[in-house]
Amino acid sequence: MTNTDIDRLHGLMALMTGDEKHSPAATSTLDALWVLYDRVLRVAPETVADPGRDRFLLSKGHGPMAYYAVLADKGFFAQELLTGFGSYDSPLGHHPDRTLVPGAEIGSGSLGHGLPLAVGSALGLRAQGLTEPRVWVLIGDAELDEGSNHEAIAYAGPAGLEQLHTLVIDNGSATYGWPGGIASRFEAAGWSAATVDGRDHDALYTAFTAPHPGRPRAVVARVEPKNA
């Protein structure tokens, strides 16, 4: 990301005003989201209905401002919609709605739902013989307090869901921890995993694109603590 990219995306986020913006939840995801949409994901406004597209699921849906800014910048919807964020007649709610937001794969916001849904998406693609599309899900570290995620982690590793990728934004919000860090939790279940600086775009790209044959992939992106 260049300084121009940073300025532009922060400018788009600044268009979204009002209460309940969850700004820390949004800004913690901005760099990782940009690298995914700018350099990794095989999806564009004209391919949102293509069965061969990559799927991105925002489980951390209670802080969607950065997500909306990136989608608008990439042309999924008009940037003018950002100014109505959270208003009664705006499609851009405080939680994304897949029926209203072009490019959104799921409605989200309730913690602990995204990773199980991503597991189901990967299984569905496998059942249809669609081996090329990749499934990405972004979760917050605090979501790992939810048991549903650990069931999904425990299932996906032995199932060999190679198309599944989980991006964990670690801003020090989790109640619990694991010896060796969050990545060790995934590795113990048979995942390929890496921990990187969540603001280092080259490190993010390298981690996102590393080969992991026969295993799902987890990337833990560490950012500044939420209350810093």
Side-chain angles (χ1 to χ4, degrees):
M1 177 186 280
T2 65
N3 288 334
T4 301
D5 293 325
I6 292 173
D7 292 342
R8 185 177 67 254
L9 289 169
H10 279 290
L12 291 175
M13 290 178 65
L15 297 176
M16 292 175 272
T17 60
D19 297 330
E20 299 182 15
K21 293 194 298 182
H22 292 285
S23 295
T27 55
S28 67
T29 68
L30 182 61
D31 296 82
L33 279 170
W34 178 253
V35 173
L36 276 176
Y37 272 90
D38 193 53
R39 301 171 63 181
V40 178
L41 290 175
R42 296 174 297 190
V43 65
E46 60 272 14
T47 62
V48 291
D50 186 339
R53 74 191 183 281
D54 287 345
R55 276 74 166 167
F56 174 79
L57 284 61
L58 181 70
S59 185
K60 191 179 169 74
H62 57 291
M65 292 173 62
Y67 183 49
Y68 290 157
V70 170
L71 287 178
D73 188 76
K74 289 298 182 181
F76 285 86
F77 56 79
Q79 295 180 9
E80 288 74 16
L81 289 177
L82 297 173
T83 58
F85 168 70
S87 62
Y88 179 77
D89 58 352
S90 172
L92 307 182
H94 294 298
H95 296 175
D97 184 333
R98 68 174 299 274
T99 67
L100 299 176
V101 181
E105 295 282 353
I106 61 171
S108 59
S110 297
L111 301 183
H113 288 176
L115 182 50
L117 287 170
V119 168
S121 297
L123 287 170
L125 291 170
R126 175 188 284 183
Q128 297 175 75
L130 296 172
T131 59
E132 292 299 319
R134 296 165 297 188
V135 179
W136 282 86
V137 56
L138 186 155
I139 71 174
D141 61 323
E143 289 193 74
L144 293 173
D145 292 350
E146 302 289 344
S148 55
N149 278 328
H150 292 278
E151 293 180 6
I153 292 169
Y155 176 86
L161 295 182
E162 184 177 341
Q163 290 168 267
L164 176 64
H165 304 73
T166 299
L167 168 60
V168 184
I169 302 296
D170 180 7
N171 65 357
S173 297
T175 302
Y176 308 106
W178 298 269
I182 291 173
S184 67
R185 173 66 186 91
F186 288 86
E187 290 171 335
W191 291 56
S192 166
T195 301
V196 298
D197 181 345
R199 303 302 188 191
D200 185 330
H201 289 221
D202 289 336
L204 286 165
Y205 177 76
T206 297
F208 290 165
T209 57
H212 49 95
R215 295 193 290 169
R217 175 72 168 167
V219 176
V220 181
R222 288 180 172 167
V223 296
E224 58 279 359
K226 183 176 181 180
N227 295 320

